[in-house]
Amino acid sequence: MPSTRSQSQSAIQFPKKKNARTHTKEASRERTKLENGSSVALPLSPLPKELPLSPRKRLGDDNLCNVPQTLSCSPPKQSRKENGPPSTPKGRRLLFDENQSATTPVSPLKRVQDPYLLSPLRRGQETPSSSRNNERKSVGARLFKQEGSCYQKAKHALNTAIPERLLARDSETATIKAFLTSHVSGGKPGSLYISGAPGTGKTACLNKLLQESKDDLKQCKTVYINCMSLRSSQAVFPAIAEEISGGKSSIAAKDIVRSLEKTVTSKGPIILLVLDEMDQLDSRGQDVLYTVFEWPWLPNSRVVLIGIANALDLTDRILPRLQARPQCKPQLLNFSPYTKDQIATILQERLNQVSGDQVLDNAAIQFCARKISAVSGDARKALDICRRAVEIVEADVRGQTVLKPLTESLSPSKEVPSNPVPKKVSLPHISRVLSDVYGDKMASSGGSSESFPLQQKLLVCALLLLTRQSKIKEVTLGKLHEAYSKVCRKQQVPGVGQSECLSLCQLLETRGILGLKKAKEARLTKVSLKIEERDIEHAFKDKVLIGNVLNSGI
């Protein structure tokens, strides 16, 4: 029995007591084995899941940060290439998680602030509503440039070419047509002088009649010459000879007039001679004009002459010898300036040729017609002003963009509505163009006393003094500038140079005050008054200035 007790005592072994250092080392080894996945027998005393680490060990002193991800490490030491998401420190909350699933609820405020959530298709996600909308096209909108085709059509309609139908010139057209029928078709020589201010339809009426009467004029020889293109008044005879003979004439200049007289008095078809801008043939002694007007009355002549000029009294004032020979006096036809209603009708007729909405406002048309009729009655000037106003609006519209629906979004059954005029030409646009052409005061509707600038008033007064002293209605620009400079010195007003003086004369010509006849040199340009002295006082509305200038003299 003693041996049995001794054997059982030797079989039962009690654990030895361990100090604190040994217990700590064994606990560390056992915990490492547990973390590596090996099964170990846990001691009776529970082992804490995480040991408290000092801040230095958290930074990796004992390689504790190199263990797998079950241990929490500071965010800066975690690798970015790891598959798992970065751990979020306690006390911090991310506003947006890229790995958040599509089913995670997001507040409406975050959806508005997040650009990715506004477009789920950009992130490869598809919502139930987007899958249903894929079956039908969504209506969208884009920015487009304004369309300006309506302005192009309006500008084309407002050109100064000969229209299909001439308005407000029925009586004048009938007179010209009767003259052509009586003399050209009847084989009877004669002459017709057509006068009128620029832009009153003189040349347009005649050219339209000539085009319409081509069949009736086949048997005659038509010669059309614009005297403005000639170098001098004597150059008209070689030009006529070339047109009649059909080639360049080799006759000497001194014999060309006698040769032409033989040609026009010989047997042959009627010669219809049309001289546009006939007042450019003005010469010393008026020999050229006298010769041309006497051709139809030569024995056996076959010339039918039609002259066109601006001067109303050209045959009476410049050609007094024609009064002594009544048979040589031409038939007169005057084209009066267009009235306000006639200009408005012309503009409206042109714009009606354009389909769709009207580009010009009715008030703008009436304003333009009223201003042009008060100044000159020139229909071409009214067309030019309206066309320039259309160009201003077109340039303004082309610089704008509009938001409109895409045409692809409309169903095939729906038609795209025609676009209205983006912006109409209104009264301020016409006023702006009038201000640029005639000066700032011209555009005002009140007709104030300052409608003419001071320099223009002094220039007209100087011309009025010259015509009084010399008793000649036409003076050269050089003499006019000398008189104007003297008037400025007496009135103690600074004057302008000769080139600027010509510009002033051109502005006054557009307003119907002066008449100009161009020459090779600017100083030889002839200037004349087109209104009476009492009309000048009424236009200027400044009797004091006119009285001082006329009383002081030159």
Side-chain angles (χ1 to χ4, degrees):
M1 294 303 293
S3 61
T4 304
R5 183 181 298 177
S6 61
Q7 290 176 358
S8 60
Q9 290 178 355
S10 61
I12 299 173
Q13 297 180 359
F14 295 94
K16 297 181 181 180
K17 293 183 180 181
K18 301 178 181 178
N19 53 18
R21 182 177 299 179
T22 305
H23 179 79
T24 302
K25 290 182 179 181
E26 290 180 357
S28 177
R29 285 195 299 270
E30 290 174 358
R31 188 180 64 178
T32 302
K33 290 180 180 181
L34 178 63
E35 291 171 353
N36 290 334
S38 58
S39 59
V40 295
L42 293 177
L44 296 177
S45 61
L47 186 67
K49 294 181 179 180
E50 293 185 5
L51 296 179
L53 300 178
S54 65
R56 180 173 297 180
K57 289 187 178 181
R58 285 189 180 184
L59 295 177
D61 283 351
D62 289 340
N63 295 328
L64 291 177
C65 287
N66 294 329
V67 298
Q69 294 181 1
T70 54
L71 293 180
S72 59
C73 299
S74 60
K77 283 298 182 180
Q78 191 172 5
S79 175
R80 294 181 180 269
K81 297 182 180 180
E82 294 176 356
N83 295 327
S87 59
T88 304
K90 292 181 179 181
R92 297 182 182 179
R93 181 171 58 87
L94 291 178
L95 293 177
F96 175 74
D97 189 2
E98 292 183 354
N99 296 295
Q100 185 180 3
S101 62
T103 58
T104 304
V106 183
S107 64
L109 181 61
K110 292 180 182 180
R111 288 186 180 274
V112 173
Q113 294 178 350
D114 188 12
Y116 289 92
L117 291 178
L118 287 174
S119 178
L121 296 179
R122 185 180 298 179
R123 300 178 55 223
Q125 300 175 6
E126 185 174 355
T127 60
S129 60
S130 63
S131 62
R132 290 193 303 267
N133 291 337
N134 286 337
E135 299 177 359
R136 62 180 182 179
K137 294 183 179 180
S138 61
V139 178
R142 285 179 56 189
L143 288 175
F144 287 88
K145 287 287 186 182
Q146 293 272 30
E147 295 182 359
S149 59
C150 57
Y151 301 113
Q152 295 289 338
K153 295 177 181 178
K155 289 191 297 182
H156 180 72
L158 292 171
N159 59 12
T160 55
I162 300 176
E164 297 180 358
R165 186 166 67 96
L166 289 173
L167 301 175
R169 287 293 180 250
D170 296 334
S171 61
E172 291 85 353
T173 303
T175 302
I176 298 174
K177 190 173 183 179
F179 177 82
L180 291 175
T181 304
S182 173
H183 292 79
V184 177
S185 301
K188 182 171 117 177
S191 59
L192 173 66
Y193 176 66
I194 303 174
S195 62
T200 53
K202 305 182 298 295
T203 305
C205 283
L206 180 60
N207 288 340
K208 187 169 183 59
L209 283 176
L210 292 178
Q211 291 177 3
E212 294 176 352
S213 306
K214 280 184 178 181
D215 297 336
D216 299 335
L217 300 177
K218 283 183 179 180
Q219 298 178 357
C220 73
K221 177 68 175 179
T222 303
V223 178
Y224 183 92
I225 295 177
N226 191 333
C227 300
M228 187 72 74
S229 61
L230 301 176
R231 298 180 180 177
S232 63
S233 59
Q234 293 291 334
V236 68
F237 299 118
I240 295 173
E242 290 179 7
E243 292 290 335
I244 294 177
S245 61
K248 191 171 183 180
S249 177
S250 59
I251 304 174
K254 61 180 180 178
D255 300 330
I256 194 168
V257 177
R258 188 178 302 174
S259 174
L260 282 174
E261 290 179 356
K262 291 181 180 180
T263 302
V264 299
T265 55
S266 61
K267 291 184 179 182
I270 291 292
I271 299 175
L272 177 58
L273 178 59
V274 180
L275 299 178
D276 199 359
E277 304 291 345
M278 195 177 192
D279 49 359
Q280 298 298 318
L281 300 180
D282 188 12
S283 61
R284 182 175 297 179
Q286 310 302 337
D287 294 337
V288 176
L289 287 174
Y290 275 121
T291 302
V292 172
F293 274 107
E294 288 175 355
W295 278 351
W297 311 110
L298 293 175
N300 302 322
S301 175
R302 52 191 179 98
V303 173
V304 176
L305 174 65
I306 298 179
I308 305 174
N310 298 332
L312 176 63
D313 56 349
L314 182 139
T315 55
D316 298 335
R317 178 171 50 87
I318 301 179
L319 305 174
R321 282 191 333 205
L322 294 179
Q323 303 296 326
R325 302 174 62 183
Q327 71 277 9
C328 296
K329 189 175 181 179
Q331 180 181 345
L332 302 180
L333 177 61
N334 180 46
F335 279 66
S336 58
Y338 285 105
T339 62
K340 175 179 71 69
D341 296 335
Q342 291 173 345
I343 294 177
T345 304
I346 292 173
L347 295 176
Q348 192 69 50
E349 179 73 15
R350 294 291 187 97
L351 293 173
N352 288 340
Q353 300 175 6
V354 181
S355 60
D357 294 341
Q358 187 168 292
V359 175
L360 267 77
D361 192 4
N362 188 32
I365 295 176
Q366 295 295 330
F367 180 74
C368 179
R370 185 172 68 250
K371 286 300 177 183
I372 296 301
S373 63
V375 174
S376 61
D378 190 342
R380 290 180 300 186
K381 187 66 69 175
L383 293 171
D384 290 337
I385 288 174
C386 291
R387 188 170 61 252
R388 290 179 59 179
V390 172
E391 291 174 354
I392 291 175
V393 175
E394 181 185 17
D396 188 16
V397 169
R398 286 186 180 227
Q400 299 176 356
T401 54
V402 293
L403 187 68
K404 63 180 181 179
L406 297 173
T407 56
E408 295 84 3
S409 63
L410 299 175
S411 60
S413 61
K414 294 182 179 181
E415 296 182 358
V416 181
S418 59
N419 292 329
V421 177
K423 185 177 181 182
K424 286 192 174 184
V425 178
S426 58
L427 192 146
H429 299 105
I430 299 293
S431 178
R432 174 181 171 184
V433 178
L434 287 171
S435 176
D436 295 339
V437 175
Y438 295 110
D440 296 334
K441 301 302 180 181
M442 177 59 199
S444 62
S445 59
S448 62
S449 60
E450 296 297 331
S451 58
F452 285 85
L454 177 61
Q455 297 296 338
Q456 294 184 12
K457 292 180 180 179
L458 294 176
L459 185 63
V460 174
C461 290
L463 180 58
L464 189 58
L465 283 173
L466 281 178
T467 54
R468 278 184 176 184
Q469 292 180 358
S470 60
K471 296 182 180 180
I472 299 176
K473 294 186 177 180
E474 290 183 344
V475 297
T476 60
L477 182 64
K479 291 183 180 180
L480 177 60
H481 183 259
E482 292 177 3
Y484 159 77
S485 301
K486 293 178 182 179
V487 170
C488 289
R489 285 195 294 268
K490 287 189 177 182
Q491 299 295 325
Q492 298 181 355
V493 176
V496 298
Q498 185 168 325
S499 59
E500 296 179 0
C501 183
L502 178 60
S503 301
L504 292 178
C505 291
Q506 292 173 349
L507 288 174
L508 289 168
E509 183 189 21
T510 59
R511 305 189 72 167
I513 304 297
L514 301 183
L516 295 180
K517 292 182 181 179
K518 296 181 180 179
K520 293 181 181 179
E521 299 180 11
R523 63 183 183 85
L524 298 179
T525 301
K526 293 186 177 181
V527 187
S528 61
L529 277 172
K530 298 182 67 175
I531 60 176
E532 300 295 333
E533 181 176 346
R534 61 178 181 274
D535 296 330
I536 293 176
E537 294 179 357
H538 177 71
F540 286 173
K541 298 180 181 180
D542 195 349
K543 295 182 179 180
V544 177
L545 175 64
I546 297 176
N548 292 336
V549 173
L550 297 181
N551 292 332
S552 60
I554 299 178

